[in-house]
Amino acid sequence: TAELLRMMLMVAFLLAYLLGSVPTAYLLVKWTRRIDIRTVGSGNVGATNALRAAGKGIGAAVFIIDVLKGVLAARLLPVWVVGVTDPVLNLSCGLMAILGHNFPCFLRFQGGKGVATTIGVLLGTMPAVAGLIGLVWLAVFAACRYVSIASMVAAVAIPFGQAWAGQGRVEVALGGLLAGLILLRHRANIDRLRRGTEPRALTRPAGRGNS
């Protein structure tokens, strides 16, 4: 029935949000270095800050797990919970996982920037577009050596990549929301870029405030 379907959709969205809320960077850095990642570097609960706080191994592990959160939420949860797979439903569950990562209920809604989880959502729903966005990121990063600029330009490219792939308006609109969330979470980076204080590449920051 329609009521049962609505209930299953709500459960899928809730589970996707809770999955995204699992604070991978916080947990791994806490377990391995006994450090609260929110107190070092940028204070961001994400892979880049984990790399700076705990090294390449932990940074890579955080990135991979956060990507997998996006894949799981967008690709598998709709099938497991609702019993169907649909591009709009998959993207919607992915969006909820990104919201969970950015605003996790387990860390008083202070989370990461959602880049890795967004990559997972793209891989789980539109691998061809994900590949295109990955090429955009690599090209921009190679040109400027700023992770933040590469991430933001790649985010803006998401809905254009979807349009190029012939996806529908609702899917492109959801892709625009994914891009908007990444831009929103990079406000501090934009401010630092304007002031000329944004660090290049993945250099270790002197104190809080860097990406």
Side-chain angles (χ1 to χ4, degrees):
T1 66
E3 186 63 31
L4 178 60
L5 177 60
R6 281 195 293 269
M7 184 179 300
M8 290 190 297
L9 287 174
M10 293 301 296
V11 170
F13 292 155
L14 176 61
L15 290 177
Y17 171 80
L18 291 174
L19 175 63
S21 288
V22 175
T24 312
Y26 174 84
L27 292 174
L28 290 185
V29 173
K30 193 75 169 179
W31 289 340
T32 59
R33 296 294 187 271
R34 300 296 187 266
I35 297 172
D36 185 340
I37 193 173
R38 297 171 296 178
T39 66
V40 298
S42 65
N44 184 57
V45 188
T48 299
N49 204 35
L51 182 152
R52 290 169 174 159
K56 293 180 180 179
I58 296 301
V62 170
F63 178 81
I64 291 169
I65 294 171
D66 284 347
V67 168
L68 289 176
K69 289 195 303 186
V71 173
L72 179 60
R75 188 71 180 180
L76 300 180
L77 265 182
V79 176
W80 292 345
V81 178
V82 185
V84 298
T85 181
D86 172 83
V88 173
L89 173 59
N90 293 356
L91 274 174
S92 297
C93 285
L95 178 62
M96 292 303 298
I98 295 166
L99 286 171
H101 178 84
N102 292 355
F103 310 103
C105 57
F106 303 120
L107 290 181
R108 299 182 179 179
F109 306 103
Q110 297 178 358
K113 295 180 179 176
V115 175
T117 306
T118 299
I119 291 171
V121 171
L122 296 179
L123 287 172
T125 57
M126 43 184 130
V129 174
L132 176 64
I133 301 306
L135 291 175
V136 170
W137 191 96
L138 288 172
V140 175
F141 180 73
C144 70
R145 305 300 293 178
Y146 283 109
V147 173
S148 57
I149 292 179
S151 298
M152 289 187 285
V153 174
V156 171
I158 291 173
F160 293 99
Q162 291 176 279
W164 165 78
Q167 296 186 7
R169 292 182 179 178
V170 176
E171 295 161 74
V172 173
L174 287 169
L177 287 177
L178 302 185
L181 278 172
I182 288 178
L183 295 178
L184 178 67
R185 298 296 286 174
H186 278 80
R187 287 175 298 175
N189 302 83
I190 294 171
D191 183 57
R192 289 193 295 273
L193 286 164
R194 288 173 178 169
R195 292 187 278 111
T197 58
E198 178 78 348
R200 289 179 183 268
L202 297 177
T203 54
R204 189 178 296 273
R208 279 200 65 168
N210 295 317
S211 171

